[in-house]
């Protein structure tokens, strides 16, 4: 049997990037031989094994044929006769279809190295169209390598467009889609992921609510970039620049969805877009079975981001309602993430990226003031049940009034 490094490990070594996980392909071996060497099988369907010591993935060279819709609709053929070239041709991009032996000799039948130099994301063969997930993968790689100058080859973008128009994207499971979306959002240039999806028509299929924001104007006085889609991408870019976690990035992407519902005769204003957007945010959350923390923050940021921006003008009672809605007493981290999302929203405006955001510290101070109300003395005074709740609220309101007075000049 011959063993080769494949995929990301080869690509990233040639790019001079750190290699995190290594995928291996094994040519000329049978399942029995692998088991005899102590490899552990991963699943029943795939001829993939884990190395007994390193735990890295070793796959038998295989060919694939599409036999139906969706990811289940694949027939695999693995046997000792399958060549390295035959295994590599079923892969998505030429830069991912190179293999390397233990002497670092490169096998590169589909010119991945040439495309690395040309900074091109290009599909290996027409079989690319057999798995719609590749549309998302290419967009994700575009986001990851945008800084290095990579773009999607025009003929690959054309294939991605065909796939998007064919309805195949709808066959993707929420789990597979979310895995790509969440990884793409964590790249350095997550906005490129969305730009590429939009350019091939996939965004309209996957997240029509986001796609609808392009071409929707906002008031130039607050939003010099005007276009709501452009604004959304800038907010995401700021979130990446400021190393925000996935929850914040997801909330940034969805915070303005309500603006896509504004009747044209109301443009460029978007009255109550925060509230109107909630059902759209919920729909996107459910479509991809998004993790609960991301879902929650997206809904809260959608509803309250304008409150965040207007923090310094809010009445103490409104401020208290805001803090209560976030349950800042038990969920301090979530309120921090809300503040971060609001700040990214403010910075995601053309020419205002560097402007300070005093609302952030003001909100933190308000949360501290509300939290400083101690419950024990109220218990000692004899309050209990709903009365106790009311009294705590009154005390918190007092604390916020004092905070507002102390901080105003
Ligand atoms: P990463 O750095 O994100 O791990 P990677 O290229 O190693 O990048 P993996 O998902 O680990 O990506 O997959 C390993 C290799 O398997 C890829 O480089 C590619 O050759 C192939 N591959 C993975 N998923 C697909 C797919 N859906 N279609 C075609 N080829 C795929
Ligand atoms: Mg990998």
């Amino acid at each position: 049997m011959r063993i080769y490094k494949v995929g990301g490990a080869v690509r990233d070594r040639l790019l001079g990037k750190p290699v995190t996980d290594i995928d291996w392909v094994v040519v000329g071996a049978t399942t029995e031989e692998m088991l005899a060497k102590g490899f552990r099988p991963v699943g029943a369907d795939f001829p993939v094994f884990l190395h007994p010591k390193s735990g890295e993935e070793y796959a038998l060279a295989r060919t694939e044929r599409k036999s139906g819709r969706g990811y289940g609709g694949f027939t695999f053929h693995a046997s000792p006769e399958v060549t390295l070239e035959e295994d590599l041709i079923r892969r998505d991009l030429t830069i991912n279809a190179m293999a390397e032996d233990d002497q670092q000799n490169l096998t590169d039948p589909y010119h991945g190295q040439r495309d690395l130099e040309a900074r091109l994301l290009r599909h290996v063969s027409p079989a690319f169209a057999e798995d719609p997930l590749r549309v998302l993968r290419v967009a994700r790689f575009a986001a990851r390598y945008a800084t290095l100058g990579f773009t999607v080859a025009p003929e690959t973008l054309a294939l991605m467009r065909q796939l998007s128009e064919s309805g195949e994207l709808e066959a993707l499971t929420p789990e597979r889609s979310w895995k790509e979306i969440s990884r793409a959002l964590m790249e350095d240039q997550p906005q490129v992921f969305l730009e590429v999806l939009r350019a091939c028509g996939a965004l309209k299929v996957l997240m029509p609510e986001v796609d609808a924001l392009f071409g929707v104007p906002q008031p130039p006085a607050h939003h010099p970039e005007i276009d709501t889609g452009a604004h959304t991408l800038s907010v995401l870019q700021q979130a990446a620049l400021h190393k925000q976690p996935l929850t914040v990035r997801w909330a940034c992407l969805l915070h303005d969805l309500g603006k896509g519902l504004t009747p044209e005769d109301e443009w460029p204003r978007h009255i109550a877009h925060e509230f109107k957007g909630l059902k759209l945010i919920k729909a996107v959350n459910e479509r991809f079975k998004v993790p609960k923390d991301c879902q929650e923050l997206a809904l809260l940021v959608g509803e309250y981001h304008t409150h965040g921006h207007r923090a310094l003008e809010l009445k103490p009672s409104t401020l208290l309602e805001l803090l209560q809605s976030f349950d800042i007493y038990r969920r301090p981290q979530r309120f921090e993430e809300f503040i971060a999302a609001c700040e990214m929203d403010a910075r995601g405006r053309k020419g205002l990226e560097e402007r300070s955001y005093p609302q952030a510290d003001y909100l933190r101070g308000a949360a501290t003031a509300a939290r400083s109300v101690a419950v024990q003395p109220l218990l000692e005074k004899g309050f209990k049940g709903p009365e106790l709740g009311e009294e705590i609220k009154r005390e918190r309101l007092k604390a916020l009034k004092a905070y507002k007075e102390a901080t105003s000049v």
Side-chain angles (χ1 to χ4, degrees):
M1 68 174 75
R2 278 153 292 134
I3 298 179
Y4 302 87
K5 258 184 213 176
V6 280
V10 180
R11 176 196 70 220
D12 287 338
R13 186 186 67 78
L14 292 172
L15 280 172
K17 290 231 154 198
V19 172
T20 43
D21 80 323
I22 305 181
D23 301 293
W24 305 85
V25 66
V26 185
V27 179
T30 61
T31 295
E32 292 69 34
E33 287 171 297
M34 295 299 282
L35 296 176
K37 283 189 183 291
F39 283 87
R40 285 169 286 136
V42 171
D45 306 344
F46 297 94
V48 178
F49 303 85
L50 298 182
H51 191 277
K53 291 217 181 75
S54 71
E56 285 167 348
E57 277 195 10
Y58 286 67
L60 295 188
R62 65 176 192 253
T63 58
E64 288 177 0
R65 256 200 1 257
K66 189 157 172 84
S67 55
R69 235 177 121 85
Y71 198 57
F74 267 103
T75 332
F76 299 99
H77 170 70
S79 84
E81 284 78 47
V82 175
T83 64
L84 185 57
E85 286 74 11
E86 284 171 330
D87 179 276
L88 294 175
I89 202 170
R90 70 174 171 83
R91 292 168 186 269
D92 48 5
L93 295 171
T94 59
I95 63 165
N96 290 343
M98 297 181 277
E100 196 175 84
D101 65 14
D102 55 5
Q103 310 290 313
Q104 290 197 349
N105 293 313
L106 200 65
T107 303
D108 182 18
Y110 311 109
H111 309 294
Q113 208 169 15
R114 192 179 66 193
D115 286 339
L116 271 185
E117 273 153 33
R119 301 298 198 229
L120 275 178
L121 303 171
R122 190 202 307 275
H123 65 283
V124 177
S125 86
F128 178 90
E130 293 182 357
D131 179 8
L133 190 76
R134 292 168 190 161
V135 173
L136 289 150
R137 281 179 60 90
V138 174
R140 172 165 69 80
F141 283 115
R144 183 188 297 180
Y145 297 123
T147 316
L148 297 177
F150 276 83
T151 56
V152 181
E155 62 271 31
T156 302
L157 198 68
L159 256 185
M160 290 161 71
R161 187 171 299 115
Q162 270 178 33
L163 262 168
S164 305
E165 287 166 1
S166 71
E168 278 282 318
L169 285 175
E170 279 129 85
L172 289 172
T173 64
E175 290 80 9
R176 288 188 89 206
S177 300
W178 175 252
K179 198 168 160 226
E180 292 301 324
I181 294 167
S182 54
R183 291 183 72 186
L185 289 178
M186 291 313 291
E187 297 293 352
D188 285 346
Q189 307 267 11
Q191 77 285 1
V192 173
F193 175 67
L194 292 143
E195 280 165 0
V196 170
L197 291 181
R198 180 163 177 255
C200 69
L203 191 60
K204 206 177 350 187
V205 180
L206 297 167
M207 300 185 207
E209 301 87 348
V210 176
D211 195 63
L213 300 178
F214 292 87
V216 174
Q218 307 166 100
H222 287 105
H223 283 283
E225 73 285 349
I226 301 179
D227 187 83
T228 310
H231 165 62
T232 299
L233 296 189
S234 301
V235 176
L236 207 48
Q237 191 174 13
Q238 288 298 316
L241 216 60
H242 290 267
K243 307 273 178 242
Q244 298 295 347
L246 180 62
T247 43
V248 173
R249 297 186 193 204
W250 183 242
C252 285
L253 176 62
L254 305 186
H255 78 286
D256 266 347
L257 291 190
K259 290 183 179 174
L261 295 176
T262 310
E264 281 191 37
D265 59 6
E266 289 179 21
W267 286 358
R269 300 194 61 207
H270 298 280
I271 302 149
H273 74 273
E274 302 87 346
F275 180 71
K276 289 192 220 158
L278 292 179
K279 61 174 191 286
L280 303 186
I281 297 173
K282 194 158 171 279
V284 182
N285 274 339
E286 286 170 2
R287 187 173 312 140
F288 300 110
K289 295 195 183 155
V290 173
K292 200 154 171 278
D293 55 347
C294 291
Q295 292 209 20
E296 252 180 32
L297 190 71
L299 285 165
L300 286 165
V301 169
E303 186 165 358
Y304 294 110
H305 60 277
T306 312
H307 277 62
H309 301 326
R310 297 185 49 246
L312 279 79
E313 295 111 69
L314 295 181
K315 289 185 296 187
S317 58
T318 315
L319 205 46
L320 180 60
E321 276 168 38
L322 178 71
L323 299 175
Q324 302 286 96
S325 303
F326 277 86
D327 191 10
I328 58 155
Y329 317 98
R330 279 182 298 181
R331 306 284 302 273
Q333 184 57 31
R334 187 172 65 177
F335 191 59
E336 271 304 319
E337 292 178 358
F338 164 72
I339 295 173
C342 290
E343 180 167 344
M344 299 308 113
D345 183 21
R347 291 184 186 279
R349 297 179 298 163
K350 203 172 174 206
L352 302 176
E353 295 84 357
E354 304 298 323
R355 189 186 271 190
S356 67
Y357 193 70
Q359 290 92 326
D361 275 341
Y362 185 82
L363 287 168
R364 285 185 191 110
T368 305
R371 281 193 201 104
S372 70
V373 170
V375 179
Q376 194 56 35
L378 302 179
L379 284 171
E380 281 162 17
K381 278 189 197 162
F383 289 104
K384 49 177 180 285
E387 257 182 41
L388 175 66
E390 283 310 308
E391 189 59 19
I392 294 174
K393 261 190 169 172
R394 261 195 297 277
E395 289 295 321
R396 284 175 181 162
L397 189 57
K398 253 203 262 173
L400 286 173
K401 279 182 181 154
Y403 173 70
K404 193 168 165 63
E405 268 163 41
T407 49
S408 63
V409 272

